[in-house]
Amino acid sequence: QIPRDPTQRWLRELAAMSQQLQQVHPNVLAKILKQRTLYQNEEIVVIDKPYGLPVHGGPGIKNCIADVLPILAKMLENMKAEPLHLCHRLDKETTGVMVLARSKEAAEKIRLLFKTRQVEKIYWAIVLGDPDPVEGVVEIPIVEKEVKSHQSHYKMTLAPRYRVCPEDGRVLKARGDRHAERAVTRYHRLAAASACSLLQLQPITGVKHQIRVHLAYGLGCPILGDHKYSHWSKLAPQKLPELTLRRLKLEQSKTRHLPLHLHAHRLCLPLGQPLDFVCKLPLFFQKTLRKLELDIPKD
């Protein structure tokens, strides 16, 4: 049944697209990724990762990028090409620039560049609310914890090294969690409207779900469509402000269909000379910006 409402139809199409990517033949998926190739040379292949496609396999995942790397290599080069290699990961719902390597040696070299923080990564995200201050650095360690609720699950969360004393406002050193990883994210507001903001983000470190956790729990501005990190103790659809719902022409009961609005916009790779890759926003992201009247900055 096709919904009459254009917003509902658009959200349904996005969900269907994600399911479709899980059902197509691996050859078809490799062909889709080939069409989304932004750049290639003898060492690397850069793709524009589509929404809803996981990088790695797992329970309930039929298709992922890792599984089609041998087919994609043959399509891009020739039948004798060795499989492409993953150099970094993006979340299933994140779109944008992704680098693959043509050889094991190139992959190791690029992984080391990521590890030693020589790769500049710029993300764009639509978030709820307005960060205060409008630009700055979030530097709070992150750790994975079990959320004990009627539906127990695991989430990444903040493990601050300092706390404010409620009695006199003094800053005290907190007991650190030895499993916590250092996490640093720079952010800068590009636009604000409709109780939302468009942020430019630069993760300095690469901890799992870092941007999502720093924005939701560090700044109190969860990413639009991030149902996992909009609450702590429950798994529930994100609650949106009235103005945002009105602009999106959406009912609160339908917000569970909203996709995560996080896009890997730019990546600068120092391989010999610096290689700079920019990936334009996916259509659903552009549509949301227009509906929320958030001005798209000119590159």
Side-chain angles (χ1 to χ4, degrees):
Q1 196 182 355
I2 297 166
R4 281 193 193 153
D5 176 58
T7 302
Q8 294 301 319
R9 202 161 53 234
W10 163 62
L11 291 174
R12 193 70 62 84
E13 278 164 17
L14 264 176
M17 189 174 77
S18 187
Q19 284 162 1
Q20 233 171 338
L21 289 172
Q22 286 300 302
Q23 282 149 13
V24 296
H25 189 278
N27 286 2
V28 177
L29 182 58
K31 200 172 176 184
I32 291 167
L33 296 180
K34 183 190 174 188
Q35 286 162 353
R36 298 177 75 99
T37 299
L38 302 172
Y39 174 86
Q40 53 180 316
N41 65 15
E42 62 287 341
E43 277 194 300
I44 60 168
V45 172
V46 181
I47 61 166
D48 173 3
K49 182 193 163 298
Y51 173 80
L53 179 63
V55 172
H56 296 282
I61 291 170
K62 195 178 158 204
N63 270 335
C64 66
I65 291 175
D67 288 349
V68 298
L69 292 179
I71 310 165
L72 180 59
K74 285 174 178 159
M75 282 183 178
L76 288 169
E77 214 172 336
N78 58 51
M79 291 314 282
K80 290 198 178 87
E82 72 160 290
L84 291 161
H85 300 263
L86 293 170
C87 301
H88 62 119
R89 63 187 292 279
L90 291 175
D91 290 348
K92 176 186 167 186
E93 295 89 359
T94 305
T95 54
V97 187
M98 189 165 180
V99 182
L100 306 167
R102 288 198 190 270
S103 68
K104 219 175 186 164
E105 298 73 45
E108 277 164 16
K109 186 161 73 176
I110 293 161
R111 280 184 209 130
L112 187 63
L113 290 174
F114 274 98
K115 201 176 171 184
T116 52
R117 297 173 197 150
Q118 293 181 64
V119 179
E120 189 186 343
K121 299 167 283 180
I122 300 289
Y123 287 76
W124 279 6
I126 299 174
V127 301
L128 301 185
D130 204 6
D132 181 20
V134 294
E135 64 178 284
V137 178
V138 181
E139 185 169 355
I140 309 172
I142 289 175
V143 71
E144 189 164 31
K145 283 200 174 156
E146 186 180 2
V147 181
K148 293 192 188 330
S149 64
H150 69 287
Q151 211 179 346
S152 280
H153 57 287
Y154 283 87
K155 269 184 191 171
M156 305 305 283
T157 190
L158 302 176
R161 298 227 164 96
Y162 299 92
R163 63 184 179 84
V164 176
C165 179
E167 286 80 44
D168 55 13
R170 278 184 311 137
V171 176
L172 305 173
K173 211 163 176 16
R175 216 175 89 204
D177 187 316
R178 63 193 175 90
H179 299 296
E181 290 182 74
R182 181 172 177 254
V184 184
T185 310
R186 274 198 192 116
Y187 72 93
H188 165 70
R189 190 186 72 184
L190 298 170
S194 316
C196 290
S197 301
L198 173 65
L199 301 188
Q200 179 168 290
L201 304 141
Q202 186 183 1
I204 309 299
T205 52
V207 180
K208 180 183 172 184
H209 295 174
Q210 174 182 316
I211 290 175
R212 296 166 66 179
V213 173
H214 272 173
L215 291 179
Y217 302 149
L219 286 171
C221 294
I223 297 174
L224 182 66
D226 194 348
H227 308 290
K228 181 167 186 166
Y229 289 107
S230 290
H231 317 272
W232 168 249
S233 58
K234 56 184 178 176
L235 289 166
Q238 187 176 53
K239 189 140 178 44
L240 298 187
E242 272 303 314
L243 177 58
T244 311
L245 289 169
R246 234 181 10 254
R247 290 269 161 88
L248 290 174
K249 295 188 170 67
L250 198 59
E251 292 163 37
Q252 180 56 48
S253 60
K254 300 287 192 290
T255 58
R256 68 182 183 278
H257 300 303
L258 260 183
L260 181 79
H261 285 70
L262 179 62
H263 176 68
H265 175 61
R266 189 168 160 229
L267 191 139
C268 190
L269 198 62
L271 270 185
Q273 86 268 33
L275 296 168
D276 208 353
F277 307 109
V278 174
C279 211
K280 68 175 194 194
L281 291 166
L283 283 173
F284 78 85
F285 201 121
Q286 291 179 41
K287 257 186 189 176
T288 303
L289 286 174
R290 280 198 297 273
K291 286 178 180 218
L292 295 174
E293 298 176 8
L294 284 162
D295 294 330
I296 304 170
K298 300 283 177 278
D299 283 340

